[in-house]
Structure formats: C-alpha cells, structure tokens
Amino acid sequence: MTDPTQLAILANAMRAIADEMGANLVRSAFSTIVREARDCATALLNERGDVVAQAEMIPIHNGGLSQAFHASAKQLDLSKIGPGDAILLNDPYAGGQHLNDFILFQPIFVDGELLGWAGNTTHHLDVGGGGAGINIDASELIQEGIVIPPILVNVRRDLHGGAVERLLFANVRTPDLGRGDFYAQLAANRTGIERMQELARRYGVATVKGAMEATLVYAERRMRAAIETLPLGTWHGEALIDNDVRGETPLVVKAKVTVVAGGTVELDFEGSSPQVKTMFNSSAASSTAAAISSIRSVLADKDIPANDGCLRPLRIRLPKGSILNPNPGLPVRARVIASYRLLDAVHAALGQAIPERVPAQGFNSTTGLYLVQKRADGRIRIYADVLGGGYGAGSNYDGAHALAGLLSSSRNTPIESIEQIHPQLRMLHYRLVPDSCGAGQWRGGLGFSRAIEVLEDGIELSFYSEHFRYPPRGKQGGCDAALASLVIRRGGEVIRLPNTDLVKVQRGDIVELSVGGGAGWGDPALRPADAVAADLADGIITEAFARKHYPAQMSQLARRAEEPLAA
C-alpha cells in the first residue's frame, strides 16, 4: 500500500475496532476482575497470526498474543478452518500467559476468503486446580488449574451447552461467572469480525490486507528510527524478586542490553535465576511481552503503533530453564513478578545509557489478593483483585500515585462493586499512604493501603506480592520508596505475613495491605522548596519525612514564614 492517507484511515479504523472489542468485552463480563479491573485485552491479527492492532488494555496480554497463535498453528490443522470455528487455549507452554488467562481466536472471513483473526485474552476468576484463590504451594502446572492446549472448536457444536463448554466449566468453582466472562470473549470477537467485514466490503479485501501488512512495516520503521536515537553499546542491569515461596533467598533477573547499528536492540537474560518449582516462573510469552514494553516505554517516540512490527527490531534471548523461560510442567501463576523484574533489569541497564529517559523504579508489581469463602451449601464466594502501587519519578516529572503497573494497566475496583457482591467483607479504608514515595529532585508516586474486615466465618486469604524485602530503587541520586506489607489485625494482635501466603482468617479479622510507592529521581537537595511545600500541603509527605529528606528546603520555608509581611 502506497497511499499514506488511506493507510492512516485503515490503521486507525482497525485500532478503533480493537478498542470497541475491548469495550464490549468489559461491558458484557460477569466478574469484577474483568468488568471493573479490566484484566483483559483485545486485538486483531492478520491471516498469519501477527497482531496488527490492539486496544489500550493489558500490555503483557497483547504483547505475547501472536506467540499463542503461532504455537496453536503448529499444533492444529487450520487448512479447513471455517467461519464457525475458534481456537481456545490457556497453556503457558503453548504461547499462553498463565492458566487463568483464556485466549480465544476466531477467523474473519469475507465472501469465503480468510482476512485475519479476532483475538482476546481474559483473566478468569477460577480455573480449578488444587485450591480456590491462589494455590501458592503448587509445584506442578496442573495443580494450578485445568490446562487447555490449543484446541480447535466449533462454536455452535462445542459451546452453547456443547461438550467443550460442559467439560471446561465442570472443572471450575464459579461456573456461572466463568461462562459469563467466556461468552463476553465470544461477543468481543464477534464485534471484531463484523467490523472488519464491514471495512473489507467498503475498501476491498486486498486493500485491507495490504493495510495490515503496511502497518506492521510502518511500526517497525518507526521503532527502528526511535532505537537509532540511542547510543550504540552494551549495558548490564539486574533486579531482584524478594524470595521464592516460603523462601529467604532472592531470585535475580539479569539483562544484557546491546544497541547495534540499524535500529536493533539485543536483549540477553543469561545469568537470571534458574527455574523454580513454584509459581514465580514467567512463561515465555509473558517474558517476551515484558521485554517489548521495557524498550518501548523508554523510547522518545511515544506514538509508535502497538503491533507486532515493534517486535521485529528486537532480538530477545530467554535462556531455557530459567525463571523467564521454564521447562514445561512448572507452575507460573505469579509469572508477572518475574516479568516486572525483567523490565526493571532492562531499565537498570538502559539507565546507564540514557538516564534522562529511564525513570526510577516504580512498585512495578501486581499484588494478587484473594479471599475465598466455602459456604455450607457448597457454593464458593471468591473476592479477587489485582493491585498496583506508585510509579517511579523521572527526569522532569513526579511519579503517579496508586496505579496498576506498566505491564498490567488494569483499573482499581471500586469499593461499591466489591461490597455489592461480597456481603462477607467490609472495606474499612482505601487510601494513599503518605511518605511511601521515594524522595528526589522529582519524587515518586504514593502507594496505597486497603483494609478489609472479615464479617463471616470460613474465609481463607491467599495472595502474592512484592517489595516486602527490597524496595523500589531510586535513580540518579533519588531515594528508594517504602516497602510493602500485609498484616492481619486480630483484636490487639498484629500478624505480619510474608510476600506470599495462605492463611485462614477469622470473623472480625482486618486484613490490611499496604503497597509501596515509586522511587525518587535525582538528588533530593535539588527539589524546589515550593514543591516540598506543595507535597506537605497535599498530605503526600509528612513534616518528619520532609525534615529527613529535604532539610535545606525546610529551612528555607521556615525563614520565609518568619519574614514580615510586606506593607
């Protein structure tokens, strides 16, 4: 395609279609983790399975989506695919993320010709396995839930009460919510199929296919041009995971980043910790998506189209048998933690080359928090949430407060939505934590605290989080952020828990999670006194914090207060 105007029209149309798919998925979903937190993603793929357009939803989902399709294409015979067929999987060793993420592809046909595919990923509340919530002691993948290798299903025959649907939801503890979210996935794909058919009938199949290819080439060209602004060379970085499940020793992710001529970046993670027998392994698709985001997020060009063209300038090596690319059969439930440390390690390396573009470390973690109640009638209530923290500061900007991390981008679940469907719980507070940021010329964003009172018996807490031992690190002289914590308040007793645990709670217990903020960037001595005063006035920091980290500015503010008012 040579007409740039028409390419822009069609590329933006496909992006709008992906966005509409996402909107329909969220609005149709049953569970709060999808309809409120928006732990899902939608995309359009060409006939080869390369992502050509995606919604602004979950980067770690869409960044690895094409891997899921390509792995499926290797295992399935797609030569006789029809309009009523679909590909379904969740296997993290076949391009999937972790078992809770169901991936669904459906073909887009126009007058009998395959145009491409509509696809989406959605986090399901429960997928069976050894326990409701998070089975933190799982040592095998199958203990985390039902494993769905790539399978080819006929929507009319196998779903809508058919054999595949019955088999699938006989293995989950919340089948009604699961079905609701699954049919929201089908509805989202149907939207993509219908809109792409309309587009093809307006402009022609050949023209739309040409636009799909051209947008990949365009994104690659923009990506290479942005990379070419980086200095050539090799840099090393690393980041730490607090510890393995019930462990004491940190797990390390190491990155060697090499920028070579021609707009190419080589990312080698040799030296990262070996795979573990617990949920802290990251699937290859998740690690790849994190690697893409780690580079895109520090490039000066912020408007590069998000598609698989962005992957072409990157050479990514994930050592087999490491926590970033484990051997099949190992658990991966908390895979996002290792993926975030991959991002941090790459940023630690690039921070040496382009310090003005790389922010200080944010909380950069997802806290998976579950409170599960097994009721007397056999039904199960599952409260689940995915929570972020504060963002790191950067050159010329302060960090943002209390947001999902860069790889997640999910939303805060409103208290009202939680209490509406969980009468066994009461939210006592949900608030920012003063002083949880790192001080600096530019300060980090705040973390938050959420306190949940347990109102009924028979409830079990399971969770994983990060930065309980090692705080988010400052850059260019900026200070580290605060650590996270999770405590159970039981009468006058305070029970402190590690970064992941499985605990039975009692009626009257208060589960209080506090996540850290983002670290600071630059020497705190360089922060303007007016900015310190504004942070104090806004309650972001306390006077004690200010006196510790900004003594000169506090002295300046005190002198101002003592000066007589002008006549």
PDB file of all heavy atoms in Angstrom, residues 527-538 553-554 556-557 560:
ATOM      1  N   ARG A 527      15.348  19.510  44.790  1.00  0.00           N
ATOM      2  CA  ARG A 527      13.901  19.725  44.666  1.00  0.00           C
ATOM      3  C   ARG A 527      13.561  21.138  45.149  1.00  0.00           C
ATOM      4  O   ARG A 527      13.980  21.552  46.238  1.00  0.00           O
ATOM      5  CB  ARG A 527      13.115  18.701  45.477  1.00  0.00           C
ATOM      6  CG  ARG A 527      11.592  18.766  45.232  1.00  0.00           C
ATOM      7  CD  ARG A 527      10.894  17.522  45.762  1.00  0.00           C
ATOM      8  NE  ARG A 527       9.461  17.530  45.534  1.00  0.00           N
ATOM      9  CZ  ARG A 527       8.861  17.228  44.398  1.00  0.00           C
ATOM     10  NH1 ARG A 527       9.600  16.919  43.342  1.00  0.00           N
ATOM     11  NH2 ARG A 527       7.548  17.249  44.285  1.00  0.00           N
ATOM     12  N   PRO A 528      12.780  21.891  44.372  1.00  0.00           N
ATOM     13  CA  PRO A 528      12.425  23.253  44.788  1.00  0.00           C
ATOM     14  C   PRO A 528      11.654  23.261  46.097  1.00  0.00           C
ATOM     15  O   PRO A 528      10.827  22.377  46.368  1.00  0.00           O
ATOM     16  CB  PRO A 528      11.557  23.754  43.628  1.00  0.00           C
ATOM     17  CG  PRO A 528      11.942  22.909  42.465  1.00  0.00           C
ATOM     18  CD  PRO A 528      12.270  21.570  43.026  1.00  0.00           C
ATOM     19  N   ALA A 529      11.913  24.257  46.917  1.00  0.00           N
ATOM     20  CA  ALA A 529      11.226  24.377  48.203  1.00  0.00           C
ATOM     21  C   ALA A 529       9.712  24.473  48.014  1.00  0.00           C
ATOM     22  O   ALA A 529       8.940  23.934  48.823  1.00  0.00           O
ATOM     23  CB  ALA A 529      11.737  25.592  48.960  1.00  0.00           C
ATOM     24  N   ASP A 530       9.273  25.136  46.924  1.00  0.00           N
ATOM     25  CA  ASP A 530       7.831  25.259  46.683  1.00  0.00           C
ATOM     26  C   ASP A 530       7.195  23.896  46.420  1.00  0.00           C
ATOM     27  O   ASP A 530       6.047  23.652  46.807  1.00  0.00           O
ATOM     28  CB  ASP A 530       7.574  26.185  45.496  1.00  0.00           C
ATOM     29  CG  ASP A 530       7.833  27.653  45.845  1.00  0.00           C
ATOM     30  OD1 ASP A 530       7.887  27.975  47.057  1.00  0.00           O
ATOM     31  OD2 ASP A 530       7.988  28.459  44.914  1.00  0.00           O
ATOM     32  N   ALA A 531       7.936  22.987  45.757  1.00  0.00           N
ATOM     33  CA  ALA A 531       7.415  21.651  45.503  1.00  0.00           C
ATOM     34  C   ALA A 531       7.305  20.862  46.807  1.00  0.00           C
ATOM     35  O   ALA A 531       6.341  20.103  47.010  1.00  0.00           O
ATOM     36  CB  ALA A 531       8.314  20.916  44.511  1.00  0.00           C
ATOM     37  N   VAL A 532       8.274  21.033  47.690  1.00  0.00           N
ATOM     38  CA  VAL A 532       8.203  20.381  49.001  1.00  0.00           C
ATOM     39  C   VAL A 532       7.003  20.914  49.782  1.00  0.00           C
ATOM     40  O   VAL A 532       6.248  20.153  50.399  1.00  0.00           O
ATOM     41  CB  VAL A 532       9.513  20.604  49.783  1.00  0.00           C
ATOM     42  CG1 VAL A 532       9.387  20.044  51.205  1.00  0.00           C
ATOM     43  CG2 VAL A 532      10.686  19.950  49.063  1.00  0.00           C
ATOM     44  N   ALA A 533       6.812  22.224  49.743  1.00  0.00           N
ATOM     45  CA  ALA A 533       5.677  22.830  50.434  1.00  0.00           C
ATOM     46  C   ALA A 533       4.351  22.308  49.883  1.00  0.00           C
ATOM     47  O   ALA A 533       3.414  22.043  50.647  1.00  0.00           O
ATOM     48  CB  ALA A 533       5.744  24.349  50.313  1.00  0.00           C
ATOM     49  N   ALA A 534       4.286  22.158  48.570  1.00  0.00           N
ATOM     50  CA  ALA A 534       3.055  21.650  47.957  1.00  0.00           C
ATOM     51  C   ALA A 534       2.794  20.202  48.381  1.00  0.00           C
ATOM     52  O   ALA A 534       1.644  19.821  48.654  1.00  0.00           O
ATOM     53  CB  ALA A 534       3.157  21.749  46.438  1.00  0.00           C
ATOM     54  N   ASP A 535       3.847  19.386  48.445  1.00  0.00           N
ATOM     55  CA  ASP A 535       3.685  17.994  48.881  1.00  0.00           C
ATOM     56  C   ASP A 535       3.201  17.930  50.324  1.00  0.00           C
ATOM     57  O   ASP A 535       2.370  17.087  50.686  1.00  0.00           O
ATOM     58  CB  ASP A 535       5.005  17.234  48.747  1.00  0.00           C
ATOM     59  CG  ASP A 535       5.367  16.925  47.299  1.00  0.00           C
ATOM     60  OD1 ASP A 535       4.481  17.048  46.437  1.00  0.00           O
ATOM     61  OD2 ASP A 535       6.528  16.543  47.047  1.00  0.00           O
ATOM     62  N   LEU A 536       3.721  18.829  51.171  1.00  0.00           N
ATOM     63  CA  LEU A 536       3.266  18.886  52.559  1.00  0.00           C
ATOM     64  C   LEU A 536       1.794  19.301  52.628  1.00  0.00           C
ATOM     65  O   LEU A 536       0.994  18.700  53.357  1.00  0.00           O
ATOM     66  CB  LEU A 536       4.130  19.864  53.348  1.00  0.00           C
ATOM     67  CG  LEU A 536       5.528  19.374  53.740  1.00  0.00           C
ATOM     68  CD1 LEU A 536       6.390  20.558  54.179  1.00  0.00           C
ATOM     69  CD2 LEU A 536       5.434  18.343  54.862  1.00  0.00           C
ATOM     70  N   ALA A 537       1.442  20.316  51.870  1.00  0.00           N
ATOM     71  CA  ALA A 537       0.059  20.811  51.890  1.00  0.00           C
ATOM     72  C   ALA A 537      -0.921  19.761  51.385  1.00  0.00           C
ATOM     73  O   ALA A 537      -2.057  19.671  51.872  1.00  0.00           O
ATOM     74  CB  ALA A 537      -0.044  22.085  51.048  1.00  0.00           C
ATOM     75  N   ASP A 538      -0.487  18.955  50.430  1.00  0.00           N
ATOM     76  CA  ASP A 538      -1.356  17.919  49.854  1.00  0.00           C
ATOM     77  C   ASP A 538      -1.367  16.632  50.667  1.00  0.00           C
ATOM     78  O   ASP A 538      -2.103  15.697  50.320  1.00  0.00           O
ATOM     79  CB  ASP A 538      -0.920  17.603  48.417  1.00  0.00           C
ATOM     80  CG  ASP A 538      -1.184  18.761  47.463  1.00  0.00           C
ATOM     81  OD1 ASP A 538      -2.047  19.603  47.787  1.00  0.00           O
ATOM     82  OD2 ASP A 538      -0.533  18.807  46.400  1.00  0.00           O
ATOM     83  N   GLN A 553      15.458  22.702  52.161  1.00  0.00           N
ATOM     84  CA  GLN A 553      14.199  23.312  51.721  1.00  0.00           C
ATOM     85  C   GLN A 553      13.323  23.661  52.928  1.00  0.00           C
ATOM     86  O   GLN A 553      12.644  24.703  52.935  1.00  0.00           O
ATOM     87  CB  GLN A 553      13.442  22.351  50.785  1.00  0.00           C
ATOM     88  CG  GLN A 553      14.131  22.101  49.453  1.00  0.00           C
ATOM     89  CD  GLN A 553      15.048  20.884  49.480  1.00  0.00           C
ATOM     90  OE1 GLN A 553      15.703  20.618  50.493  1.00  0.00           O
ATOM     91  NE2 GLN A 553      15.103  20.162  48.374  1.00  0.00           N
ATOM     92  N   MET A 554      13.311  22.794  53.951  1.00  0.00           N
ATOM     93  CA  MET A 554      12.513  23.090  55.144  1.00  0.00           C
ATOM     94  C   MET A 554      13.038  24.329  55.865  1.00  0.00           C
ATOM     95  O   MET A 554      12.257  25.139  56.382  1.00  0.00           O
ATOM     96  CB  MET A 554      12.503  21.876  56.070  1.00  0.00           C
ATOM     97  CG  MET A 554      11.730  20.692  55.520  1.00  0.00           C
ATOM     98  SD  MET A 554       9.967  21.058  55.285  1.00  0.00           S
ATOM     99  CE  MET A 554       9.408  21.044  56.993  1.00  0.00           C
ATOM    100  N   GLN A 556      14.546  26.809  54.391  1.00  0.00           N
ATOM    101  CA  GLN A 556      14.141  27.928  53.545  1.00  0.00           C
ATOM    102  C   GLN A 556      12.681  28.298  53.788  1.00  0.00           C
ATOM    103  O   GLN A 556      12.329  29.485  53.888  1.00  0.00           O
ATOM    104  CB  GLN A 556      14.368  27.564  52.074  1.00  0.00           C
ATOM    105  CG  GLN A 556      14.020  28.680  51.099  1.00  0.00           C
ATOM    106  CD  GLN A 556      14.243  28.267  49.643  1.00  0.00           C
ATOM    107  OE1 GLN A 556      14.867  27.248  49.366  1.00  0.00           O
ATOM    108  NE2 GLN A 556      13.731  29.063  48.732  1.00  0.00           N
ATOM    109  N   LEU A 557      11.827  27.281  53.902  1.00  0.00           N
ATOM    110  CA  LEU A 557      10.409  27.535  54.146  1.00  0.00           C
ATOM    111  C   LEU A 557      10.191  28.163  55.521  1.00  0.00           C
ATOM    112  O   LEU A 557       9.323  29.033  55.699  1.00  0.00           O
ATOM    113  CB  LEU A 557       9.607  26.229  54.017  1.00  0.00           C
ATOM    114  CG  LEU A 557       9.544  25.624  52.618  1.00  0.00           C
ATOM    115  CD1 LEU A 557       8.889  24.243  52.661  1.00  0.00           C
ATOM    116  CD2 LEU A 557       8.762  26.538  51.669  1.00  0.00           C
ATOM    117  N   ARG A 560      11.088  31.837  55.329  1.00  0.00           N
ATOM    118  CA  ARG A 560      10.007  32.576  54.652  1.00  0.00           C
ATOM    119  C   ARG A 560       8.875  32.888  55.623  1.00  0.00           C
ATOM    120  O   ARG A 560       8.289  33.970  55.621  1.00  0.00           O
ATOM    121  CB  ARG A 560       9.444  31.742  53.489  1.00  0.00           C
ATOM    122  CG  ARG A 560      10.241  31.792  52.220  1.00  0.00           C
ATOM    123  CD  ARG A 560       9.397  31.140  51.132  1.00  0.00           C
ATOM    124  NE  ARG A 560      10.210  30.639  50.062  1.00  0.00           N
ATOM    125  CZ  ARG A 560       9.758  29.852  49.099  1.00  0.00           C
ATOM    126  NH1 ARG A 560       8.493  29.462  49.115  1.00  0.00           N
ATOM    127  NH2 ARG A 560      10.550  29.446  48.123  1.00  0.00           N
TER     128      ARG A 560
END
